[in-house]
Amino acid sequence: MACVTPSRRALLLGAGALAAAQAVSGPVLAAARNAPVDTPLRWLDGEKPGRLEGATFGVPWPRGAVRPSQAFRIRSGDGRETPTQSWPIAYWPDGSLKWSAHAVTPDAAVEGLSIVPGAPKAPARPVRVVENGTEIVVASGDLEWRIPKSGPVLVSQASRAGRVTVQNLSLVALSQDKAELAPTGVVQSARYAVQIRKVTVEQTGPVRAVLKLDGVHSDGSREWLPVSVRLYFYAGAESVRIVHSFIFDGDPARDFIRGLGVVVQAPMTDESYNRHVRFSGEGPGVWGEAVRTLTGLRTRANPTPAVRSAQIEGQAVALADLPEILRNDGLQWIPEWGDFTLSQLSPDGFTLRKRTSEGHAWIDSNVGARSRGLVYAGGATGGVALGLKDFWQRAPTGLEVRNAHTDTAQITAWLWSPEAPPMDMRPYRSANGMDTTAEEMVGLNITYEDYEDGWDDAHGVARTSELTLWALGATPSHAAFSAMAEQVADPARLTVEPARLHAAGVFGDWGLPDASTPIRQGLEGRLTYLLDHYMKEAEQRRWYGFWSYGDVMHTYDPDRHMWRYDVGGYAWDNSELSTDLWLWTSYLRTGRADLFKFAEAMTRHTGEVDVYHLGRFKGFGTRHGVQHWSDSSKQPRVSNVAYRRIYYFLTADERVGDLMWELTSSEQALLNVDISRKLPPAPGRAVPEGQVVSGFGTSWGAFIAAWLTEWERTGDPRWRDRILNGMNTIAGMKRRWFAGEAPFDLATGRYQGQGDYVGVSHLSAVFGVVEMTSELLDLLDVPAYRAAWLEYCRYYNAPPAEISALLGTVPPGRSLVEGHSRLSAYAAHQENDHALALRAWSEFLGRDAQSLRALLNARTTTVGGVDVLRPIEEDPQVSTNDAAQWSLAAIQNLALVGDSLEEAAVRIGFTT
């Protein structure tokens, strides 16, 4: 699988691939050579896209089935091949291929594709990357992009057949030192351009080339807002995909971002009546006008219907075809409109205005609800289109064209529109005189907020945006432009069927939906209901916005008929109790396109906004709160790689790969943040230098997710060994997992001490450690740790007499019984214990058939009138903690002990 990637990540991948290949035994290689690997592919939305700009996706392979050097080709149902580029992104411990990534060209937009072994077809006009001293040139066919290695622009120009179509792709940030105008005082503003410091070629083709550009924003005297941009080029595409990530590193009290944008210039060489501007509107709708319109004129000056129609469609109009009055200097009386703005300041409405030029009044043109986020400016000889994904969902956003009547138009996609109030990153509350831990803990018991003055800091949070930039040879028709806008808003994706994912044996314990009996039908119905409920709530409650899109709320307030958006730790969820894993595991088993997109938005949010990427909290995330960074509990349970890795392997997304790599050393943040600082001292908490107290579940459970993923991605044994050090030392303790935490040596990853105390927390197993441990025990043979984990699984929910016999006490804190039923199920499955399987189902289903039926049949009710702002559908019984853990337990119990379900249902009286 050819892939040229001279970056640090690539060097690790190359070394890992070599080590992995050397580790493959003869029998495994023999099996791999003969293994059938034909895999049908499907479009996520169920049908081929109307337009494709290239696509990248991941495919899993069963252990031992495929050699790490296997080549792949992709063909359609009629045997035609599409150009393909493939590379490995994960390996099994035996060195065989676990996940491969594949890139395809725009001509892959057909039905019936499958991936098969064999040499891939090369593009007729491949992507080529040429590097010289000052710039990198990426070319495909007659389209050539020039990327300087440093300086104030990302792309200096793009040309088609020698004609410059795109110029000076850059970034802009506007800021001011106050949040709002005041009766006294002056608001100071500043404008920052990008300064690129480093460009890395990550892939060189032939189907796909990737460049990563790193820099900062600068106004000449100050540098801030670190930014990383990836440019993706596909053979045969007229566009470049842009993934823009920045980190907020300002002072929330004085750095208010007024605008954040991506800017590009388009040379305008056509006559003004052959220059056009396009904006995407609602659904397939398009707004399109010329810089100098030829329609609506008085009869004598009005061109023929053919000429008017040609202008509307963006086709070239000849001067000779215009009425004589226009040819004879009459055109000067038709205004040239140079500036156009579409502002999406809320998810429910946009406005469109235009003016002739700066210094003149804006004229209202149109309004609408939700734009798909694409703008075009150009003419018959070429132009530029720029689109922003999740445009209305991320409001306030904007699209603008400036100076289209001059030689050079400027097109901007505003990630944060300067027409909106400035971005306010200040804390939402003050200390209110609290200055002791005791006072803060009182607040925790009232509003569920872990408040600590100065810890509600946004410094270090990040956000990633996705854009597409086209260098076009002519103005697109309305239909073509609408298809482009659809690709911006909802990019076409290739993937494999859930059954194929399951057959590969990836991501732990889950199975395909089965509603073949009444109790199974009830459980599957509840699983579907909860997923649908949250997706509907995102729309109903408008869980949108630049910083919030992708997250959900934590707990409902039935008195106000609202989620508790303003009550401490009950507000934004921030991955609490593994919401991300619930959504992704549900997608794996259903393949639902709407669920993929919902989970994708959550991954983009929780991996960026809820996590610190620089500063004193780097590597940790923030517990649930009113603002995504407001709670003072900073923990690795939120920054957990377990919540990102499924999306990464399904898509091979490099940005998420960066985020996961960042967390391979996140345990070092324990030196800066004492997670248990507000709790009474626990046994073993006094530790020497170089060690920290680390919980087994919420901390180490997150660390092993990062180390496992890096071991899979690179084959580097140091990550495996670090995991083994923790497994072996936990297993060697007297109370093993029931010790809960112990001193942790940061250099080696080993736990220290005897662990001769009991420390049980209901949170230990609900932040991904169940899923990660299931995968680890399938990959690593550590009998002592296996026994320790199975002991914890068997006894966590055990009757008091049983756990007392094991530990000499009945430890407090054993709540979340339903969620922990999957631990009982895991032990039952591993030890083939039918009685324990029935106990697991009893823990999950409860002992009352009537209550179970009520749960499975629950539905929303309508609330309207004066009790609410607008009519809503509500289910006050749903909370995100319960929804996530109930669903994960249902999925895993069905996969592990599903053969005992019917018997368990009969025992509690649940019958047809």
Side-chain angles (χ1 to χ4, degrees):
M1 289 180 286
C3 173
V4 179
T5 52
S7 64
R8 182 203 65 79
R9 292 281 323 142
L11 293 174
L12 283 174
L13 284 168
L18 178 60
Q22 292 171 340
V24 180
S25 65
V28 170
L29 283 178
R33 279 192 288 268
N34 299 315
V37 293
D38 291 22
T39 295
L41 303 175
R42 71 180 182 96
W43 293 103
L44 180 64
D45 286 306
E47 59 183 23
K48 67 178 182 179
R51 185 184 182 102
L52 181 67
E53 295 298 317
T56 300
F57 60 98
V59 177
W61 305 100
R63 183 173 358 200
V66 180
R67 298 167 62 103
S69 58
Q70 177 65 57
F72 295 99
R73 55 196 177 98
I74 294 178
R75 65 188 181 194
S76 60
D78 60 5
R80 288 181 295 176
E81 294 191 20
T82 187
T84 307
Q85 180 176 321
S86 304
W87 61 101
I89 54 174
Y91 308 93
W92 291 99
D94 62 12
S96 59
L97 186 65
K98 187 172 187 179
W99 283 89
S100 55
H102 309 274
V104 294
T105 58
D107 64 4
V110 297
E111 302 285 6
L113 293 174
S114 62
I115 184 167
V116 299
K121 178 182 178 181
R125 309 179 85 176
V127 174
R128 305 180 308 278
V129 177
V130 178
E131 188 170 356
N132 58 42
T134 60
E135 67 177 3
I136 298 168
V137 179
V138 181
S140 177
D142 62 356
L143 187 56
E144 184 178 89
W145 304 80
R146 294 185 174 274
I147 299 94
K149 290 186 175 181
S150 63
V153 297
L154 311 179
V155 176
S156 59
Q157 68 176 44
S159 58
R160 297 178 60 101
R163 180 191 182 273
V164 175
T165 306
V166 173
Q167 290 179 320
N168 298 329
L169 174 67
S170 189
L171 308 178
V172 63
L174 311 176
S175 75
Q176 59 189 52
D177 63 352
K178 295 181 178 63
E180 56 268 319
L181 295 175
T184 59
V186 177
V187 175
Q188 300 290 333
S189 62
R191 183 183 183 94
Y192 297 84
V194 71
Q195 284 294 325
I196 297 299
R197 299 289 170 71
K198 179 182 179 183
V199 178
T200 304
V201 179
E202 294 187 329
Q203 282 188 322
T204 60
V207 169
R208 188 181 89 146
V210 182
L211 275 62
K212 182 171 183 273
L213 293 72
D214 294 294
V216 295
H217 291 78
S218 172
D219 67 350
S221 59
R222 180 195 182 191
E223 294 181 347
W224 70 315
L225 300 179
V227 65
S228 176
V229 177
R230 277 189 172 88
L231 304 177
Y232 293 82
F233 305 88
Y234 286 86
E238 296 180 287
S239 64
V240 55
R241 177 173 176 250
I242 304 168
V243 177
H244 169 287
S245 305
F246 85 101
I247 303 174
F248 178 80
D249 64 340
D251 178 353
R254 65 178 183 86
D255 288 320
F256 300 92
I257 296 176
R258 187 57 190 256
L260 194 67
V262 177
V263 190
V264 66
Q265 294 177 345
M268 305 291 276
T269 58
D270 297 281
E271 303 89 347
S272 58
Y273 54 82
N274 279 326
R275 301 179 186 182
H276 299 274
V277 174
R278 301 267 192 268
F279 289 99
S280 59
E282 297 180 24
V286 173
W287 183 97
E289 291 189 0
V291 170
R292 174 172 270 157
T293 60
L294 297 177
T295 63
L297 305 178
R298 298 195 69 173
T299 303
R300 183 182 174 193
N302 214 24
T304 65
V307 169
R308 300 198 306 270
S309 177
Q311 189 187 56
I312 292 295
E313 280 303 300
Q315 299 168 2
V317 172
L319 180 64
D321 293 332
L322 299 182
E324 182 179 358
I325 192 173
L326 297 183
R327 296 196 305 270
N328 294 332
D329 297 327
L331 285 170
Q332 65 179 312
W333 299 104
I334 304 175
E336 290 182 321
W337 300 94
D339 297 350
F340 303 78
T341 293
L342 186 150
S343 297
Q344 182 88 51
L345 301 186
S346 86
D348 294 315
F350 66 79
T351 59
L352 209 162
R353 299 173 298 153
K354 67 179 185 178
R355 68 183 180 185
T356 52
S357 62
E358 185 177 2
H360 294 84
W362 287 99
I363 304 299
D364 294 333
S365 175
N366 220 319
V367 297
R370 294 171 169 176
S371 167
R372 290 190 294 181
L374 181 65
V375 60
Y376 167 84
T381 56
V384 172
L386 181 61
L388 173 61
K389 186 177 182 290
D390 299 327
F391 184 73
W392 59 265
Q393 295 95 326
R394 295 278 195 98
T397 54
L399 301 170
E400 71 177 28
V401 176
R402 294 288 184 270
N403 301 314
H405 62 304
T406 70
D407 291 342
T408 305
Q410 179 176 285
I411 301 98
T412 304
W414 289 108
L415 316 181
W416 185 280
S417 171
E419 295 192 11
M423 189 185 296
D424 194 342
M425 310 294 281
R426 294 174 297 181
Y428 83 98
R429 60 172 295 180
S430 62
N432 293 328
M434 292 187 298
D435 58 5
T436 69
T437 297
E439 290 174 318
E440 292 163 359
M441 294 303 288
V442 171
L444 180 64
N445 290 326
I446 295 173
T447 63
Y448 199 29
E449 181 174 47
D450 189 351
Y451 181 81
E452 189 170 348
D453 191 28
W455 287 57
D456 46 357
D457 191 357
H459 185 100
V461 303
R463 198 52 158 142
T464 286
S465 302
E466 301 175 58
L467 304 97
T468 307
L469 171 68
W470 276 268
L472 298 171
T475 298
S477 68
H478 283 227
F481 185 80
S482 181
M484 293 162 61
E486 176 65 18
Q487 275 299 287
V488 168
D490 191 8
R493 294 189 180 278
L494 277 170
T495 186
V496 298
E497 294 288 352
R500 175 61 177 76
L501 291 168
H502 187 260
V506 293
F507 302 133
D509 307 312
W510 58 278
L512 302 175
D514 177 0
S516 59
T517 66
I519 184 61
R520 287 176 177 271
Q521 185 178 27
L523 296 181
E524 293 291 352
R526 179 68 177 174
L527 287 168
T528 300
Y529 170 79
L530 289 172
L531 293 169
D532 291 345
H533 181 72
Y534 275 85
M535 284 188 276
K536 290 175 182 175
E537 283 293 87
E539 169 63 10
Q540 178 171 251
R541 308 291 178 168
R542 300 303 193 265
W543 290 338
Y544 301 127
F546 181 84
W547 289 110
S548 294
Y549 177 57
D551 206 352
V552 298
M553 286 280 171
H554 186 282
T555 307
Y556 199 68
D557 183 351
D559 297 314
R560 288 189 288 175
H561 307 290
M562 297 178 68
W563 292 82
R564 304 185 202 180
Y565 72 98
D566 58 348
V567 184
Y570 291 114
W572 288 115
D573 187 61
N574 285 29
S575 300
E576 184 71 359
L577 270 58
S578 298
T579 314
D580 313 60
L581 273 177
W582 161 40
L583 298 183
W584 279 120
T585 306
S586 299
Y587 166 75
L588 294 176
R589 65 196 304 265
T590 65
R592 288 176 53 172
D594 58 347
L595 182 53
F596 179 98
K597 296 164 190 176
F598 193 67
E600 177 183 42
M602 180 170 286
T603 298
R604 285 283 187 228
H605 168 88
T606 58
E608 304 268 7
V609 181
D610 299 342
V611 177
Y612 290 94
H613 306 272
L614 51 75
R616 60 175 174 162
F617 303 133
K618 181 181 179 181
F620 280 9
T622 303
R623 177 182 177 270
H624 41 107
V626 172
Q627 292 169 296
H628 299 287
W629 46 81
S630 60
D631 199 274
S632 69
S633 177
K634 313 299 183 184
Q635 298 205 27
R637 76 191 205 197
V638 180
S639 57
N640 202 332
V641 167
Y643 302 152
R644 330 285 175 227
R645 61 197 295 269
I646 296 178
Y647 177 73
Y648 170 77
F649 287 124
L650 291 172
T651 63
D653 184 89
E654 281 83 2
R655 173 57 182 170
V656 173
D658 290 346
L659 299 179
M660 297 192 304
W661 164 251
E662 283 181 9
L663 296 171
T664 55
S665 59
S666 62
E667 73 277 10
Q668 301 298 322
L670 289 171
L671 292 170
N672 304 322
V673 180
D674 180 1
I675 293 174
S676 302
R677 63 193 180 278
K678 297 182 181 180
L679 301 176
R685 287 189 58 77
V687 296
E689 186 175 351
Q691 295 180 20
V692 294
V693 172
S694 171
F696 299 164
T698 54
S699 292
W700 185 73
F703 303 150
I704 61 175
W707 301 336
L708 168 61
T709 303
E710 195 63 16
W711 177 37
E712 290 180 312
R713 294 174 69 190
T714 66
D716 188 336
R718 63 178 167 143
W719 305 111
R720 175 203 62 200
D721 294 345
R722 196 162 179 81
I723 295 169
L724 288 171
N725 287 344
M727 296 172 78
N728 286 319
T729 50
I730 290 173
M733 292 182 172
K734 180 178 179 179
R735 297 302 185 188
R736 296 164 295 281
W737 254 86
F738 281 104
E741 65 176 26
F744 183 72
D745 183 66
L746 293 170
T748 64
R750 296 177 183 274
Y751 277 99
Q752 309 294 311
Q754 299 300 311
D756 54 353
Y757 44 83
V758 174
V760 176
S761 170
H762 66 293
L763 297 181
S764 290
V766 294
F767 286 93
V769 77
V770 171
E771 291 79 5
M772 290 300 97
T773 301
S774 177
E775 292 199 49
L776 283 174
L777 291 179
D778 189 49
L779 300 173
L780 296 171
D781 184 19
V782 187
Y785 182 81
R786 180 182 297 274
W789 178 247
L790 290 175
E791 175 187 72
Y792 187 76
C793 290
R794 174 178 287 273
Y795 284 98
Y796 178 92
N797 268 349
E802 292 185 24
I803 195 168
S804 179
L806 175 71
L807 302 176
T809 184
V810 179
R814 291 190 304 149
S815 58
L816 299 177
V817 172
E818 282 181 348
H820 282 82
S821 68
R822 55 198 175 125
L823 276 69
S824 304
Y826 184 81
H829 176 77
Q830 292 292 318
E831 298 175 349
N832 196 25
D833 188 331
H834 182 62
L836 185 55
L838 292 175
R839 196 192 88 187
W841 280 121
S842 176
E843 295 161 1
F844 180 74
L845 299 175
R847 301 179 183 278
D848 181 353
Q850 183 176 355
S851 297
L852 177 60
R853 278 199 178 87
L855 175 72
L856 300 183
N857 293 324
R859 294 295 181 267
T860 59
T861 57
T862 302
V863 181
V866 298
D867 292 329
V868 288
L869 186 65
R870 59 178 179 270
I872 60 166
E873 296 290 322
E874 74 170 5
D875 184 347
Q877 304 306 313
V878 171
S879 75
T880 308
N881 277 1
D882 290 343
Q885 283 297 302
W886 187 94
S887 297
L888 285 168
I891 292 168
Q892 291 166 350
N893 290 348
L894 286 166
L896 293 166
V897 293
D899 55 356
S900 302
L901 173 58
E902 279 67 36
E903 180 181 348
V906 170
R907 286 193 174 197
I908 66 169
F910 189 97
T911 61
T912 305

